[in-house]
Amino acid sequence: MVALGLVVSPMFGAGPVSAAGRAVIVPPSVVQSLWRAPDSMTKDAQPRHDVLRDRAVDAVAAFDEYFDTRSPIASSRYLQRLAAVVVIVAARTSVSRADMLMAWRNTTLRHQKAILVGLTTLGTGYLFGSDNPKKGLDCSGLVAYAWGAAGVTLPMKSDRQVDQGQVVPREKAKAGDIVGYPGHTMIYLGIGDIVLHSARPNLGVRVGTINWKEATNVRFSNPAPMP
């Protein structure tokens, strides 16, 4: 089990992240995009500046520092930067930032890193069959890239990504789990129907929601279940 500020596993933890009991002050058509800057891509298909992507990059760096040093200072810095990311995501999706922060802290370190790395690719264009954010990402490429950074190798097939993990009921799904339906996979952001995904060519990597009226056979899967 892992608890920031208390105990650290020698590898990626499978336990929830906490602040040692202290409150953290938070300063296809199947997926609907909740927020999209109208000019988020340049003419050469490169992502424009996005403060959320910047904050995610900062949080990944803080995560790596904490993971390498295990120090209380690094732990505190990581929690602050994680909260900074949550503030923006929650605002853009009109959900409770406190609930989203709790959902992200109550998942594993692997899941947290997958979410944060995924968010560093916001605005990346869609490219079928690619898991290279410098070129573009399709839906399974985004999931494979994010989870690959968290130490889990996933196939580049959406259905196989769901099947490789442990399928879980929706009510037990954790932030960072894979959400999938035939032909599409996404990263669950832990609250409501909020997901991160590379939807289609005219959108690329975006935060969105599952459209349950149109989606069929939606499944949630944990790609890194506890042994």
PDB file of all heavy atoms in Angstrom, residues 114-115 117-122 124 127 129-133 136-149 154 156 161 184-187 195-199 204-207:
ATOM      1  N   ALA A 114      -0.525   7.512 -15.254  1.00  0.00           N
ATOM      2  CA  ALA A 114      -1.158   7.333 -16.560  1.00  0.00           C
ATOM      3  C   ALA A 114      -2.067   8.527 -16.889  1.00  0.00           C
ATOM      4  O   ALA A 114      -2.060   9.035 -18.019  1.00  0.00           O
ATOM      5  CB  ALA A 114      -1.950   6.035 -16.599  1.00  0.00           C
ATOM      6  N   ILE A 115      -2.836   8.976 -15.910  1.00  0.00           N
ATOM      7  CA  ILE A 115      -3.706  10.136 -16.126  1.00  0.00           C
ATOM      8  C   ILE A 115      -2.877  11.365 -16.480  1.00  0.00           C
ATOM      9  O   ILE A 115      -3.149  12.058 -17.469  1.00  0.00           O
ATOM     10  CB  ILE A 115      -4.545  10.430 -14.870  1.00  0.00           C
ATOM     11  CG1 ILE A 115      -5.565   9.333 -14.606  1.00  0.00           C
ATOM     12  CG2 ILE A 115      -5.263  11.781 -15.020  1.00  0.00           C
ATOM     13  CD1 ILE A 115      -6.255   9.462 -13.253  1.00  0.00           C
ATOM     14  N   VAL A 117       0.288  11.700 -17.506  1.00  0.00           N
ATOM     15  CA  VAL A 117       0.997  11.596 -18.781  1.00  0.00           C
ATOM     16  C   VAL A 117       0.015  11.754 -19.938  1.00  0.00           C
ATOM     17  O   VAL A 117       0.309  12.422 -20.934  1.00  0.00           O
ATOM     18  CB  VAL A 117       1.758  10.263 -18.873  1.00  0.00           C
ATOM     19  CG1 VAL A 117       2.281  10.038 -20.293  1.00  0.00           C
ATOM     20  CG2 VAL A 117       2.921  10.236 -17.891  1.00  0.00           C
ATOM     21  N   GLY A 118      -1.167  11.155 -19.802  1.00  0.00           N
ATOM     22  CA  GLY A 118      -2.181  11.332 -20.833  1.00  0.00           C
ATOM     23  C   GLY A 118      -2.530  12.797 -21.039  1.00  0.00           C
ATOM     24  O   GLY A 118      -2.671  13.272 -22.179  1.00  0.00           O
ATOM     25  N   LEU A 119      -2.646  13.543 -19.948  1.00  0.00           N
ATOM     26  CA  LEU A 119      -3.000  14.966 -20.039  1.00  0.00           C
ATOM     27  C   LEU A 119      -1.885  15.806 -20.649  1.00  0.00           C
ATOM     28  O   LEU A 119      -2.151  16.894 -21.176  1.00  0.00           O
ATOM     29  CB  LEU A 119      -3.358  15.503 -18.659  1.00  0.00           C
ATOM     30  CG  LEU A 119      -4.702  15.033 -18.096  1.00  0.00           C
ATOM     31  CD1 LEU A 119      -4.848  15.419 -16.626  1.00  0.00           C
ATOM     32  CD2 LEU A 119      -5.867  15.605 -18.907  1.00  0.00           C
ATOM     33  N   THR A 120      -0.655  15.321 -20.620  1.00  0.00           N
ATOM     34  CA  THR A 120       0.432  16.065 -21.279  1.00  0.00           C
ATOM     35  C   THR A 120       0.302  16.029 -22.793  1.00  0.00           C
ATOM     36  O   THR A 120       1.003  16.780 -23.488  1.00  0.00           O
ATOM     37  CB  THR A 120       1.824  15.516 -20.898  1.00  0.00           C
ATOM     38  OG1 THR A 120       2.000  14.197 -21.434  1.00  0.00           O
ATOM     39  CG2 THR A 120       2.034  15.511 -19.395  1.00  0.00           C
ATOM     40  N   THR A 121      -0.577  15.182 -23.316  1.00  0.00           N
ATOM     41  CA  THR A 121      -0.762  15.089 -24.769  1.00  0.00           C
ATOM     42  C   THR A 121      -1.991  15.861 -25.249  1.00  0.00           C
ATOM     43  O   THR A 121      -2.367  15.756 -26.420  1.00  0.00           O
ATOM     44  CB  THR A 121      -0.891  13.618 -25.219  1.00  0.00           C
ATOM     45  OG1 THR A 121      -2.151  13.077 -24.777  1.00  0.00           O
ATOM     46  CG2 THR A 121       0.232  12.768 -24.676  1.00  0.00           C
ATOM     47  N   LEU A 122      -2.627  16.628 -24.376  1.00  0.00           N
ATOM     48  CA  LEU A 122      -3.808  17.401 -24.775  1.00  0.00           C
ATOM     49  C   LEU A 122      -3.521  18.233 -26.024  1.00  0.00           C
ATOM     50  O   LEU A 122      -2.483  18.893 -26.119  1.00  0.00           O
ATOM     51  CB  LEU A 122      -4.236  18.325 -23.644  1.00  0.00           C
ATOM     52  CG  LEU A 122      -5.055  17.707 -22.518  1.00  0.00           C
ATOM     53  CD1 LEU A 122      -5.142  18.673 -21.352  1.00  0.00           C
ATOM     54  CD2 LEU A 122      -6.448  17.332 -23.007  1.00  0.00           C
ATOM     55  N   THR A 124      -2.940  17.088 -28.967  1.00  0.00           N
ATOM     56  CA  THR A 124      -2.244  16.315 -29.989  1.00  0.00           C
ATOM     57  C   THR A 124      -3.234  15.839 -31.036  1.00  0.00           C
ATOM     58  O   THR A 124      -4.326  15.372 -30.719  1.00  0.00           O
ATOM     59  CB  THR A 124      -1.535  15.103 -29.354  1.00  0.00           C
ATOM     60  OG1 THR A 124      -0.563  15.572 -28.416  1.00  0.00           O
ATOM     61  CG2 THR A 124      -0.845  14.255 -30.407  1.00  0.00           C
ATOM     62  N   LEU A 127      -3.964  10.521 -35.204  1.00  0.00           N
ATOM     63  CA  LEU A 127      -3.275   9.789 -36.263  1.00  0.00           C
ATOM     64  C   LEU A 127      -3.521   8.307 -36.057  1.00  0.00           C
ATOM     65  O   LEU A 127      -3.095   7.728 -35.053  1.00  0.00           O
ATOM     66  CB  LEU A 127      -1.772  10.081 -36.248  1.00  0.00           C
ATOM     67  CG  LEU A 127      -0.952   9.366 -37.342  1.00  0.00           C
ATOM     68  CD1 LEU A 127      -1.412   9.803 -38.728  1.00  0.00           C
ATOM     69  CD2 LEU A 127       0.537   9.635 -37.158  1.00  0.00           C
ATOM     70  N   GLY A 129      -3.374   4.502 -35.762  1.00  0.00           N
ATOM     71  CA  GLY A 129      -2.306   3.534 -35.595  1.00  0.00           C
ATOM     72  C   GLY A 129      -1.064   4.052 -34.900  1.00  0.00           C
ATOM     73  O   GLY A 129      -0.060   3.342 -34.826  1.00  0.00           O
ATOM     74  N   SER A 130      -1.113   5.276 -34.348  1.00  0.00           N
ATOM     75  CA  SER A 130       0.085   5.869 -33.736  1.00  0.00           C
ATOM     76  C   SER A 130      -0.046   5.970 -32.224  1.00  0.00           C
ATOM     77  O   SER A 130      -1.088   6.353 -31.698  1.00  0.00           O
ATOM     78  CB  SER A 130       0.325   7.274 -34.305  1.00  0.00           C
ATOM     79  OG  SER A 130       1.380   7.926 -33.608  1.00  0.00           O
ATOM     80  N   ASP A 131       1.052   5.644 -31.540  1.00  0.00           N
ATOM     81  CA  ASP A 131       1.149   5.885 -30.098  1.00  0.00           C
ATOM     82  C   ASP A 131       2.283   6.855 -29.802  1.00  0.00           C
ATOM     83  O   ASP A 131       2.808   6.899 -28.700  1.00  0.00           O
ATOM     84  CB  ASP A 131       1.352   4.569 -29.336  1.00  0.00           C
ATOM     85  CG  ASP A 131       2.644   3.846 -29.703  1.00  0.00           C
ATOM     86  OD1 ASP A 131       3.342   4.304 -30.648  1.00  0.00           O
ATOM     87  OD2 ASP A 131       2.965   2.833 -29.050  1.00  0.00           O
ATOM     88  N   ASN A 132       2.651   7.661 -30.801  1.00  0.00           N
ATOM     89  CA  ASN A 132       3.716   8.648 -30.679  1.00  0.00           C
ATOM     90  C   ASN A 132       3.109  10.045 -30.677  1.00  0.00           C
ATOM     91  O   ASN A 132       2.656  10.536 -31.712  1.00  0.00           O
ATOM     92  CB  ASN A 132       4.694   8.505 -31.842  1.00  0.00           C
ATOM     93  CG  ASN A 132       5.878   9.448 -31.723  1.00  0.00           C
ATOM     94  OD1 ASN A 132       5.888  10.375 -30.904  1.00  0.00           O
ATOM     95  ND2 ASN A 132       6.889   9.233 -32.548  1.00  0.00           N
ATOM     96  N   PRO A 133       3.078  10.704 -29.511  1.00  0.00           N
ATOM     97  CA  PRO A 133       2.439  12.017 -29.436  1.00  0.00           C
ATOM     98  C   PRO A 133       3.127  13.082 -30.280  1.00  0.00           C
ATOM     99  O   PRO A 133       2.529  14.112 -30.577  1.00  0.00           O
ATOM    100  CB  PRO A 133       2.501  12.357 -27.945  1.00  0.00           C
ATOM    101  CG  PRO A 133       3.619  11.541 -27.416  1.00  0.00           C
ATOM    102  CD  PRO A 133       3.614  10.269 -28.210  1.00  0.00           C
ATOM    103  N   GLY A 136       1.145  12.095 -33.546  1.00  0.00           N
ATOM    104  CA  GLY A 136      -0.304  12.034 -33.404  1.00  0.00           C
ATOM    105  C   GLY A 136      -0.689  10.777 -32.652  1.00  0.00           C
ATOM    106  O   GLY A 136       0.135   9.865 -32.492  1.00  0.00           O
ATOM    107  N   LEU A 137      -1.915  10.720 -32.169  1.00  0.00           N
ATOM    108  CA  LEU A 137      -2.370   9.574 -31.384  1.00  0.00           C
ATOM    109  C   LEU A 137      -3.780   9.195 -31.804  1.00  0.00           C
ATOM    110  O   LEU A 137      -4.638  10.062 -31.965  1.00  0.00           O
ATOM    111  CB  LEU A 137      -2.382   9.923 -29.888  1.00  0.00           C
ATOM    112  CG  LEU A 137      -1.051  10.250 -29.219  1.00  0.00           C
ATOM    113  CD1 LEU A 137      -1.288  10.900 -27.857  1.00  0.00           C
ATOM    114  CD2 LEU A 137      -0.199   8.997 -29.065  1.00  0.00           C
ATOM    115  N   ASP A 138      -4.015   7.888 -31.956  1.00  0.00           N
ATOM    116  CA  ASP A 138      -5.404   7.455 -32.054  1.00  0.00           C
ATOM    117  C   ASP A 138      -5.852   7.046 -30.657  1.00  0.00           C
ATOM    118  O   ASP A 138      -5.122   7.202 -29.681  1.00  0.00           O
ATOM    119  CB  ASP A 138      -5.598   6.356 -33.106  1.00  0.00           C
ATOM    120  CG  ASP A 138      -4.923   5.033 -32.742  1.00  0.00           C
ATOM    121  OD1 ASP A 138      -4.377   4.905 -31.626  1.00  0.00           O
ATOM    122  OD2 ASP A 138      -4.955   4.104 -33.588  1.00  0.00           O
ATOM    123  N   CYS A 139      -7.075   6.535 -30.533  1.00  0.00           N
ATOM    124  CA  CYS A 139      -7.611   6.273 -29.194  1.00  0.00           C
ATOM    125  C   CYS A 139      -6.770   5.267 -28.419  1.00  0.00           C
ATOM    126  O   CYS A 139      -6.378   5.512 -27.282  1.00  0.00           O
ATOM    127  CB  CYS A 139      -9.072   5.821 -29.285  1.00  0.00           C
ATOM    128  SG  CYS A 139      -9.339   4.233 -30.108  1.00  0.00           S
ATOM    129  N   SER A 140      -6.468   4.144 -29.047  1.00  0.00           N
ATOM    130  CA  SER A 140      -5.676   3.130 -28.350  1.00  0.00           C
ATOM    131  C   SER A 140      -4.229   3.569 -28.181  1.00  0.00           C
ATOM    132  O   SER A 140      -3.553   3.176 -27.218  1.00  0.00           O
ATOM    133  CB  SER A 140      -5.745   1.788 -29.095  1.00  0.00           C
ATOM    134  OG  SER A 140      -5.258   1.916 -30.418  1.00  0.00           O
ATOM    135  N   GLY A 141      -3.741   4.423 -29.112  1.00  0.00           N
ATOM    136  CA  GLY A 141      -2.383   4.933 -28.994  1.00  0.00           C
ATOM    137  C   GLY A 141      -2.218   5.821 -27.779  1.00  0.00           C
ATOM    138  O   GLY A 141      -1.196   5.767 -27.084  1.00  0.00           O
ATOM    139  N   LEU A 142      -3.226   6.658 -27.500  1.00  0.00           N
ATOM    140  CA  LEU A 142      -3.190   7.495 -26.301  1.00  0.00           C
ATOM    141  C   LEU A 142      -3.144   6.638 -25.046  1.00  0.00           C
ATOM    142  O   LEU A 142      -2.321   6.872 -24.149  1.00  0.00           O
ATOM    143  CB  LEU A 142      -4.408   8.406 -26.261  1.00  0.00           C
ATOM    144  CG  LEU A 142      -4.674   9.111 -24.926  1.00  0.00           C
ATOM    145  CD1 LEU A 142      -3.541  10.063 -24.576  1.00  0.00           C
ATOM    146  CD2 LEU A 142      -6.016   9.838 -24.949  1.00  0.00           C
ATOM    147  N   VAL A 143      -4.021   5.647 -24.965  1.00  0.00           N
ATOM    148  CA  VAL A 143      -4.075   4.779 -23.785  1.00  0.00           C
ATOM    149  C   VAL A 143      -2.764   4.012 -23.628  1.00  0.00           C
ATOM    150  O   VAL A 143      -2.216   3.909 -22.516  1.00  0.00           O
ATOM    151  CB  VAL A 143      -5.274   3.814 -23.884  1.00  0.00           C
ATOM    152  CG1 VAL A 143      -5.266   2.815 -22.720  1.00  0.00           C
ATOM    153  CG2 VAL A 143      -6.587   4.595 -23.904  1.00  0.00           C
ATOM    154  N   ALA A 144      -2.229   3.487 -24.742  1.00  0.00           N
ATOM    155  CA  ALA A 144      -0.975   2.735 -24.680  1.00  0.00           C
ATOM    156  C   ALA A 144       0.186   3.629 -24.263  1.00  0.00           C
ATOM    157  O   ALA A 144       1.049   3.220 -23.465  1.00  0.00           O
ATOM    158  CB  ALA A 144      -0.686   2.084 -26.034  1.00  0.00           C
ATOM    159  N   TYR A 145       0.218   4.850 -24.766  1.00  0.00           N
ATOM    160  CA  TYR A 145       1.304   5.771 -24.418  1.00  0.00           C
ATOM    161  C   TYR A 145       1.254   6.142 -22.940  1.00  0.00           C
ATOM    162  O   TYR A 145       2.271   6.103 -22.242  1.00  0.00           O
ATOM    163  CB  TYR A 145       1.203   7.026 -25.280  1.00  0.00           C
ATOM    164  CG  TYR A 145       2.199   8.099 -24.898  1.00  0.00           C
ATOM    165  CD1 TYR A 145       3.550   7.971 -25.209  1.00  0.00           C
ATOM    166  CD2 TYR A 145       1.783   9.239 -24.218  1.00  0.00           C
ATOM    167  CE1 TYR A 145       4.465   8.953 -24.846  1.00  0.00           C
ATOM    168  CE2 TYR A 145       2.689  10.230 -23.856  1.00  0.00           C
ATOM    169  CZ  TYR A 145       4.025  10.077 -24.165  1.00  0.00           C
ATOM    170  OH  TYR A 145       4.928  11.054 -23.795  1.00  0.00           O
ATOM    171  N   ALA A 146       0.068   6.507 -22.461  1.00  0.00           N
ATOM    172  CA  ALA A 146      -0.070   6.931 -21.070  1.00  0.00           C
ATOM    173  C   ALA A 146       0.255   5.801 -20.112  1.00  0.00           C
ATOM    174  O   ALA A 146       0.990   5.981 -19.134  1.00  0.00           O
ATOM    175  CB  ALA A 146      -1.482   7.454 -20.829  1.00  0.00           C
ATOM    176  N   TRP A 147      -0.285   4.628 -20.381  1.00  0.00           N
ATOM    177  CA  TRP A 147      -0.045   3.501 -19.493  1.00  0.00           C
ATOM    178  C   TRP A 147       1.363   2.930 -19.652  1.00  0.00           C
ATOM    179  O   TRP A 147       1.926   2.374 -18.704  1.00  0.00           O
ATOM    180  CB  TRP A 147      -1.115   2.433 -19.677  1.00  0.00           C
ATOM    181  CG  TRP A 147      -2.263   2.679 -18.751  1.00  0.00           C
ATOM    182  CD1 TRP A 147      -3.462   3.274 -19.031  1.00  0.00           C
ATOM    183  CD2 TRP A 147      -2.287   2.378 -17.358  1.00  0.00           C
ATOM    184  NE1 TRP A 147      -4.230   3.366 -17.906  1.00  0.00           N
ATOM    185  CE2 TRP A 147      -3.535   2.820 -16.863  1.00  0.00           C
ATOM    186  CE3 TRP A 147      -1.392   1.786 -16.473  1.00  0.00           C
ATOM    187  CZ2 TRP A 147      -3.902   2.679 -15.524  1.00  0.00           C
ATOM    188  CZ3 TRP A 147      -1.744   1.655 -15.140  1.00  0.00           C
ATOM    189  CH2 TRP A 147      -2.984   2.097 -14.690  1.00  0.00           C
ATOM    190  N   GLY A 148       1.949   3.097 -20.841  1.00  0.00           N
ATOM    191  CA  GLY A 148       3.331   2.673 -21.021  1.00  0.00           C
ATOM    192  C   GLY A 148       4.265   3.467 -20.113  1.00  0.00           C
ATOM    193  O   GLY A 148       5.215   2.918 -19.548  1.00  0.00           O
ATOM    194  N   ALA A 149       3.980   4.763 -19.950  1.00  0.00           N
ATOM    195  CA  ALA A 149       4.780   5.594 -19.051  1.00  0.00           C
ATOM    196  C   ALA A 149       4.619   5.171 -17.600  1.00  0.00           C
ATOM    197  O   ALA A 149       5.482   5.438 -16.762  1.00  0.00           O
ATOM    198  CB  ALA A 149       4.386   7.067 -19.208  1.00  0.00           C
ATOM    199  N   LEU A 154       0.541  -2.122 -23.236  1.00  0.00           N
ATOM    200  CA  LEU A 154      -0.778  -2.473 -23.745  1.00  0.00           C
ATOM    201  C   LEU A 154      -0.731  -2.625 -25.261  1.00  0.00           C
ATOM    202  O   LEU A 154       0.038  -1.932 -25.936  1.00  0.00           O
ATOM    203  CB  LEU A 154      -1.802  -1.388 -23.382  1.00  0.00           C
ATOM    204  CG  LEU A 154      -2.130  -1.232 -21.895  1.00  0.00           C
ATOM    205  CD1 LEU A 154      -2.990   0.012 -21.677  1.00  0.00           C
ATOM    206  CD2 LEU A 154      -2.845  -2.468 -21.369  1.00  0.00           C
ATOM    207  N   MET A 156      -2.020  -2.280 -29.210  1.00  0.00           N
ATOM    208  CA  MET A 156      -2.572  -1.148 -29.948  1.00  0.00           C
ATOM    209  C   MET A 156      -3.916  -1.511 -30.586  1.00  0.00           C
ATOM    210  O   MET A 156      -4.211  -1.121 -31.713  1.00  0.00           O
ATOM    211  CB  MET A 156      -1.579  -0.708 -31.017  1.00  0.00           C
ATOM    212  CG  MET A 156      -0.413   0.087 -30.466  1.00  0.00           C
ATOM    213  SD  MET A 156      -0.915   1.741 -29.913  1.00  0.00           S
ATOM    214  CE  MET A 156      -1.337   2.494 -31.466  1.00  0.00           C
ATOM    215  N   GLN A 161      -7.065  -3.979 -25.395  1.00  0.00           N
ATOM    216  CA  GLN A 161      -6.644  -3.219 -24.221  1.00  0.00           C
ATOM    217  C   GLN A 161      -7.597  -3.458 -23.054  1.00  0.00           C
ATOM    218  O   GLN A 161      -7.167  -3.630 -21.914  1.00  0.00           O
ATOM    219  CB  GLN A 161      -6.602  -1.725 -24.557  1.00  0.00           C
ATOM    220  CG  GLN A 161      -5.428  -1.329 -25.420  1.00  0.00           C
ATOM    221  CD  GLN A 161      -5.367   0.159 -25.685  1.00  0.00           C
ATOM    222  OE1 GLN A 161      -6.374   0.870 -25.580  1.00  0.00           O
ATOM    223  NE2 GLN A 161      -4.199   0.654 -26.047  1.00  0.00           N
ATOM    224  N   HIS A 184     -13.263   1.692 -29.611  1.00  0.00           N
ATOM    225  CA  HIS A 184     -12.771   2.918 -28.976  1.00  0.00           C
ATOM    226  C   HIS A 184     -12.396   2.662 -27.520  1.00  0.00           C
ATOM    227  O   HIS A 184     -13.096   1.942 -26.810  1.00  0.00           O
ATOM    228  CB  HIS A 184     -13.842   4.003 -29.023  1.00  0.00           C
ATOM    229  CG  HIS A 184     -13.326   5.380 -28.712  1.00  0.00           C
ATOM    230  ND1 HIS A 184     -12.297   5.972 -29.412  1.00  0.00           N
ATOM    231  CD2 HIS A 184     -13.708   6.297 -27.783  1.00  0.00           C
ATOM    232  CE1 HIS A 184     -12.065   7.181 -28.930  1.00  0.00           C
ATOM    233  NE2 HIS A 184     -12.908   7.407 -27.935  1.00  0.00           N
ATOM    234  N   THR A 185     -11.275   3.250 -27.093  1.00  0.00           N
ATOM    235  CA  THR A 185     -10.885   3.209 -25.682  1.00  0.00           C
ATOM    236  C   THR A 185     -10.540   4.609 -25.200  1.00  0.00           C
ATOM    237  O   THR A 185     -10.130   5.474 -25.976  1.00  0.00           O
ATOM    238  CB  THR A 185      -9.669   2.288 -25.433  1.00  0.00           C
ATOM    239  OG1 THR A 185      -8.639   2.578 -26.389  1.00  0.00           O
ATOM    240  CG2 THR A 185     -10.069   0.828 -25.495  1.00  0.00           C
ATOM    241  N   MET A 186     -10.702   4.818 -23.889  1.00  0.00           N
ATOM    242  CA  MET A 186     -10.509   6.114 -23.253  1.00  0.00           C
ATOM    243  C   MET A 186      -9.899   5.885 -21.873  1.00  0.00           C
ATOM    244  O   MET A 186      -9.881   4.760 -21.378  1.00  0.00           O
ATOM    245  CB  MET A 186     -11.855   6.828 -23.104  1.00  0.00           C
ATOM    246  CG  MET A 186     -12.625   7.017 -24.399  1.00  0.00           C
ATOM    247  SD  MET A 186     -14.425   7.235 -24.164  1.00  0.00           S
ATOM    248  CE  MET A 186     -14.961   5.512 -24.041  1.00  0.00           C
ATOM    249  N   ILE A 187      -9.454   6.957 -21.241  1.00  0.00           N
ATOM    250  CA  ILE A 187      -8.942   6.904 -19.869  1.00  0.00           C
ATOM    251  C   ILE A 187      -9.982   7.547 -18.966  1.00  0.00           C
ATOM    252  O   ILE A 187     -10.332   8.724 -19.151  1.00  0.00           O
ATOM    253  CB  ILE A 187      -7.589   7.622 -19.742  1.00  0.00           C
ATOM    254  CG1 ILE A 187      -6.535   6.934 -20.621  1.00  0.00           C
ATOM    255  CG2 ILE A 187      -7.128   7.648 -18.280  1.00  0.00           C
ATOM    256  CD1 ILE A 187      -5.204   7.677 -20.683  1.00  0.00           C
ATOM    257  N   VAL A 195     -13.892  11.488 -19.215  1.00  0.00           N
ATOM    258  CA  VAL A 195     -12.813  10.670 -19.779  1.00  0.00           C
ATOM    259  C   VAL A 195     -11.815  11.557 -20.522  1.00  0.00           C
ATOM    260  O   VAL A 195     -12.110  12.694 -20.889  1.00  0.00           O
ATOM    261  CB  VAL A 195     -13.360   9.611 -20.763  1.00  0.00           C
ATOM    262  CG1 VAL A 195     -14.199   8.566 -20.044  1.00  0.00           C
ATOM    263  CG2 VAL A 195     -14.152  10.264 -21.902  1.00  0.00           C
ATOM    264  N   LEU A 196     -10.631  11.010 -20.735  1.00  0.00           N
ATOM    265  CA  LEU A 196      -9.626  11.595 -21.617  1.00  0.00           C
ATOM    266  C   LEU A 196      -9.513  10.662 -22.811  1.00  0.00           C
ATOM    267  O   LEU A 196      -9.403   9.444 -22.638  1.00  0.00           O
ATOM    268  CB  LEU A 196      -8.285  11.706 -20.890  1.00  0.00           C
ATOM    269  CG  LEU A 196      -7.102  12.220 -21.727  1.00  0.00           C
ATOM    270  CD1 LEU A 196      -7.286  13.704 -22.040  1.00  0.00           C
ATOM    271  CD2 LEU A 196      -5.788  11.985 -20.984  1.00  0.00           C
ATOM    272  N   HIS A 197      -9.533  11.210 -24.005  1.00  0.00           N
ATOM    273  CA  HIS A 197      -9.541  10.334 -25.180  1.00  0.00           C
ATOM    274  C   HIS A 197      -9.044  11.059 -26.408  1.00  0.00           C
ATOM    275  O   HIS A 197      -8.994  12.300 -26.454  1.00  0.00           O
ATOM    276  CB  HIS A 197     -10.964   9.833 -25.442  1.00  0.00           C
ATOM    277  CG  HIS A 197     -11.865  10.930 -25.939  1.00  0.00           C
ATOM    278  ND1 HIS A 197     -12.376  10.962 -27.210  1.00  0.00           N
ATOM    279  CD2 HIS A 197     -12.319  12.063 -25.335  1.00  0.00           C
ATOM    280  CE1 HIS A 197     -13.117  12.057 -27.366  1.00  0.00           C
ATOM    281  NE2 HIS A 197     -13.097  12.730 -26.246  1.00  0.00           N
ATOM    282  N   SER A 198      -8.637  10.299 -27.405  1.00  0.00           N
ATOM    283  CA  SER A 198      -8.367  10.839 -28.728  1.00  0.00           C
ATOM    284  C   SER A 198      -9.534  10.398 -29.595  1.00  0.00           C
ATOM    285  O   SER A 198      -9.612   9.245 -30.020  1.00  0.00           O
ATOM    286  CB  SER A 198      -7.037  10.308 -29.278  1.00  0.00           C
ATOM    287  OG  SER A 198      -6.726  10.934 -30.507  1.00  0.00           O
ATOM    288  N   ALA A 199     -10.447  11.313 -29.822  1.00  0.00           N
ATOM    289  CA  ALA A 199     -11.764  10.941 -30.341  1.00  0.00           C
ATOM    290  C   ALA A 199     -11.776  10.666 -31.840  1.00  0.00           C
ATOM    291  O   ALA A 199     -12.146   9.582 -32.280  1.00  0.00           O
ATOM    292  CB  ALA A 199     -12.787  12.020 -30.011  1.00  0.00           C
ATOM    293  N   GLY A 204      -8.721  15.229 -31.968  1.00  0.00           N
ATOM    294  CA  GLY A 204      -7.485  14.822 -31.314  1.00  0.00           C
ATOM    295  C   GLY A 204      -7.721  14.537 -29.841  1.00  0.00           C
ATOM    296  O   GLY A 204      -8.819  14.156 -29.434  1.00  0.00           O
ATOM    297  N   VAL A 205      -6.698  14.741 -29.014  1.00  0.00           N
ATOM    298  CA  VAL A 205      -6.782  14.392 -27.591  1.00  0.00           C
ATOM    299  C   VAL A 205      -7.557  15.470 -26.843  1.00  0.00           C
ATOM    300  O   VAL A 205      -7.184  16.639 -26.861  1.00  0.00           O
ATOM    301  CB  VAL A 205      -5.380  14.223 -26.974  1.00  0.00           C
ATOM    302  CG1 VAL A 205      -5.501  13.876 -25.491  1.00  0.00           C
ATOM    303  CG2 VAL A 205      -4.597  13.140 -27.727  1.00  0.00           C
ATOM    304  N   ARG A 206      -8.619  15.047 -26.176  1.00  0.00           N
ATOM    305  CA  ARG A 206      -9.523  15.964 -25.492  1.00  0.00           C
ATOM    306  C   ARG A 206     -10.066  15.324 -24.219  1.00  0.00           C
ATOM    307  O   ARG A 206     -10.054  14.105 -24.066  1.00  0.00           O
ATOM    308  CB  ARG A 206     -10.724  16.315 -26.383  1.00  0.00           C
ATOM    309  CG  ARG A 206     -10.397  17.155 -27.614  1.00  0.00           C
ATOM    310  CD  ARG A 206      -9.994  18.553 -27.220  1.00  0.00           C
ATOM    311  NE  ARG A 206      -9.748  19.401 -28.377  1.00  0.00           N
ATOM    312  CZ  ARG A 206      -8.573  19.510 -28.975  1.00  0.00           C
ATOM    313  NH1 ARG A 206      -7.551  18.787 -28.540  1.00  0.00           N
ATOM    314  NH2 ARG A 206      -8.420  20.321 -29.999  1.00  0.00           N
ATOM    315  N   VAL A 207     -10.543  16.161 -23.320  1.00  0.00           N
ATOM    316  CA  VAL A 207     -11.349  15.707 -22.189  1.00  0.00           C
ATOM    317  C   VAL A 207     -12.798  15.719 -22.649  1.00  0.00           C
ATOM    318  O   VAL A 207     -13.252  16.676 -23.281  1.00  0.00           O
ATOM    319  CB  VAL A 207     -11.166  16.625 -20.969  1.00  0.00           C
ATOM    320  CG1 VAL A 207     -12.123  16.229 -19.847  1.00  0.00           C
ATOM    321  CG2 VAL A 207      -9.722  16.576 -20.475  1.00  0.00           C
TER     322      VAL A 207
END
